[in-house]
Amino acid sequence: MAFSQGFTPHPKISYASAAPTGVASEAEYLEIGLREPVEPAQLRVALDNALSPGLDVLDAVVATGTGLADRIEASHWRIELPQVDPAVLAQAVTAFTEAEEVQVERMTKQGRRTFDARSAVMSIDVDGASVTPSGASAVPCAILEMVVRQVTPSVRPDDVLSGLRVVAGLEPPVAPKVIRLAQGTLTAQGAIVDPLDADRDGATIGGR
């Protein structure tokens, strides 16, 4: 890995739209700088072996064209809400989608901030499958799936849950489990495309 210059060198690594603390994810992306060319497959294996169990490197490609940050336009989220009736969640989702805007409040580095959590949500639906939350048994669970555009300030899954509380008084009795299923570029049809697709040409990763 390449490092910056100066008295306190840092590894050249940049995360694109990293998931919030406490959130699970199946789709995190990062860029790293290397000192010399290396085969992408070799790099993937080396990184994967160096990480803790459960942190899996799935692919590595040569970075070409624009940076990752310019390719992340939206994320697909799944939220498990144990002990929440799916019918109650569906009513809250309807109220949320019918609202022109939903103002929520969140503490940021610049202090408490109020913003609209509705406009960034492209789609939001209740999964009709009868399931139980991950790692639990015989517990009813409402499942929420949504696609949220990357905006400033960012609208996180907890902001959408705050919005459901604002419009419908939804108060989950236990902490939800949030999983990012995908993130990337949006197509005209609203589908999310893997941001690495444009770089998959089998080339060697070069130093930079």
Side-chain angles (χ1 to χ4, degrees):
M1 180 175 288
F3 283 75
S4 62
Q5 302 298 312
F7 292 105
T8 56
H10 298 286
K12 290 187 175 181
I13 181 168
S14 175
Y15 292 88
S17 185
T21 302
V23 170
S25 178
E26 298 177 357
E28 296 302 296
Y29 296 87
L30 59 86
E31 294 176 290
I32 62 173
L34 302 176
R35 293 181 300 173
E36 59 188 22
V38 63
E39 288 295 329
Q42 177 185 351
L43 176 66
R44 187 202 68 77
V45 171
L47 289 174
D48 197 47
N49 290 339
L51 293 173
S52 301
L55 294 176
D56 302 314
V57 179
L58 304 180
D59 200 3
V61 299
V62 178
T64 61
T66 59
L68 277 177
D70 296 324
R71 307 182 195 183
I72 304 296
E73 297 178 342
S75 290
H76 179 191
W77 299 95
R78 175 185 175 94
I79 305 178
E80 299 179 357
L81 297 162
Q83 301 180 33
V84 172
D85 187 336
V88 173
L89 178 60
Q91 292 176 353
V93 167
T94 297
F96 184 87
T97 55
E98 291 179 348
E100 291 188 5
E101 66 175 31
V102 179
Q103 294 292 320
V104 299
E105 193 176 68
R106 189 213 305 159
M107 181 62 72
T108 68
K109 294 180 180 179
Q110 290 74 38
R112 195 165 294 279
R113 185 168 185 179
T114 300
F115 55 93
D116 177 26
R118 173 65 187 91
S119 59
V121 179
M122 300 186 61
S123 65
I124 179 169
D125 298 289
V126 178
D127 190 330
S130 178
V131 297
T132 56
S134 300
S137 60
V139 178
C141 180
I143 304 294
L144 186 66
E145 294 212 13
M146 58 188 182
V147 174
V148 182
R149 288 189 298 109
Q150 187 76 12
V151 295
T152 302
S154 62
V155 174
R156 307 183 313 198
D158 57 312
D159 297 322
V160 177
L161 292 177
S162 294
L164 295 177
R165 182 174 64 249
V166 169
V167 298
L170 183 70
E171 294 278 2
V174 298
K177 178 178 180 179
V178 182
I179 308 170
R180 172 146 59 191
L181 301 178
Q183 63 172 325
T185 307
L186 279 171
T187 67
Q189 294 73 34
I192 294 179
V193 177
D194 187 335
L196 301 187
D197 277 355
D199 299 323
R200 290 191 172 97
D201 57 9
T204 297
I205 296 179
R208 63 177 186 175

